[in-house]
């Protein structure tokens, strides 16, 4: 853990934490294209909609297809939401504004097992590169369709960042 948060956001001056939440049994998440500040999160316990703009999380119902990697939710106007998680799919690794995330993976032998550790770097649109995470493989991370939100999901939970000056 980095300071008070699960990822290191100290050097990301153009971003702030919108939501940081424990999600037990995390499975899938996806951002709405029509309402890009809304993110659907599916766990083995429940399904929720994260309003990444104001930090509100509400329970909902949805139907989803793990093979086709999409979900439908009445509370998101039955929009087909592309989902991603630890079992497949991906989120955009580059924002339309030019921010991007990259990673370095390395194999380690720990606790009598071969494991993979990952370092995740956030490269801002201004060109600065910051390490935001170092540890065992996270579930999923990436940007919303409009690039104003960034999510990082791992064992500890979800962190959603919001761009301070959206454009």
């Amino acid at each position: 853990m980095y300071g008070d948060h699960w990822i290191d956001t100290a050097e990301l001056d153009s971003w702030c934490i919108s939501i940081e939440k424990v999600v037990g049994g995390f499975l899938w998440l996806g951002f709405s294209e029509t309402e890009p500040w809304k993110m659907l999160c599916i766990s083995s316990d429940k399904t929720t909609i994260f309003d990444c703009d104001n930090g509100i999380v509400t329970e909902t119902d949805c139907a989803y297809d793990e093979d086709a990697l999409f979900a439908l939710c009445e509370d998101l106007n039955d929009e087909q939401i592309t989902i991603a998680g630890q079992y497949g799919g991906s989120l955009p690794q580059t924002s339309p504004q030019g921010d991007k995330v990259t990673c370095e993976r390395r194999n380690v032998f720990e606790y009598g097992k071969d494991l993979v550790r990952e370092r995740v770097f956030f490269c801002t649109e201004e060109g600065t590169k910051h390490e935001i995470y170092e540890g065992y493989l996270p579930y999923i991370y990436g940007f919303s369709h409009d690039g104003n939100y960034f999510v990082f999901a791992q064992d500890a939970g979800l962190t959603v960042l919001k761009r301070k000056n959206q454009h």
Side-chain angles (χ1 to χ4, degrees), residues 23-30 40-48 60-74 76 78-88:
V23 177
F26 171 81
L27 296 171
W28 307 100
L29 63 79
L40 182 66
C41 181
I42 302 167
S43 77
S44 58
D45 287 340
K46 59 186 170 185
T47 303
T48 52
T60 190
D61 290 316
C62 80
Y64 62 97
D65 185 321
E66 294 178 340
D67 296 322
L69 297 176
F70 76 88
L72 295 171
C73 176
E74 188 176 303
L76 291 173
D78 288 325
E79 174 186 354
Q80 185 170 311
I81 307 288
T82 301
I83 56 174
Q86 69 183 100
Y87 304 112

Side-chain angles (χ1 to χ4, degrees), residues 8-26:
D8 185 357
T9 60
E11 301 296 320
L12 301 179
D13 297 332
S14 300
W15 296 82
C16 61
I17 292 178
S18 170
I19 300 171
E20 203 165 44
K21 187 156 182 64
V22 173
V23 177
F26 171 81

Side-chain angles (χ1 to χ4, degrees), residues 3-125:
D4 296 333
H5 306 289
W6 297 318
I7 61 174
D8 185 357
T9 60
E11 301 296 320
L12 301 179
D13 297 332
S14 300
W15 296 82
C16 61
I17 292 178
S18 170
I19 300 171
E20 203 165 44
K21 187 156 182 64
V22 173
V23 177
F26 171 81
L27 296 171
W28 307 100
L29 63 79
F31 284 98
S32 168
E33 284 190 58
T34 59
E35 298 177 272
W37 62 93
K38 292 188 178 178
M39 182 181 75
L40 182 66
C41 181
I42 302 167
S43 77
S44 58
D45 287 340
K46 59 186 170 185
T47 303
T48 52
I49 296 175
F50 288 48
D51 186 321
C52 302
D53 203 40
N54 62 28
I56 295 173
V57 179
T58 56
E59 285 193 42
T60 190
D61 290 316
C62 80
Y64 62 97
D65 185 321
E66 294 178 340
D67 296 322
L69 297 176
F70 76 88
L72 295 171
C73 176
E74 188 176 303
D75 291 330
L76 291 173
N77 302 314
D78 288 325
E79 174 186 354
Q80 185 170 311
I81 307 288
T82 301
I83 56 174
Q86 69 183 100
Y87 304 112
S90 64
L91 295 171
Q93 301 296 290
T94 303
S95 74
Q97 296 83 347
D99 303 291
K100 64 181 176 179
V101 284
T102 61
C103 72
E104 294 174 2
R105 290 186 178 171
R106 63 185 170 93
N107 293 320
V108 295
F109 187 77
E110 292 179 352
Y111 312 110
K113 299 179 182 179
D114 288 317
L115 302 170
V116 179
R117 292 184 64 83
E118 186 167 327
R119 293 173 68 199
V120 178
F121 299 92
F122 193 106
C123 306
T124 65
E125 63 181 308

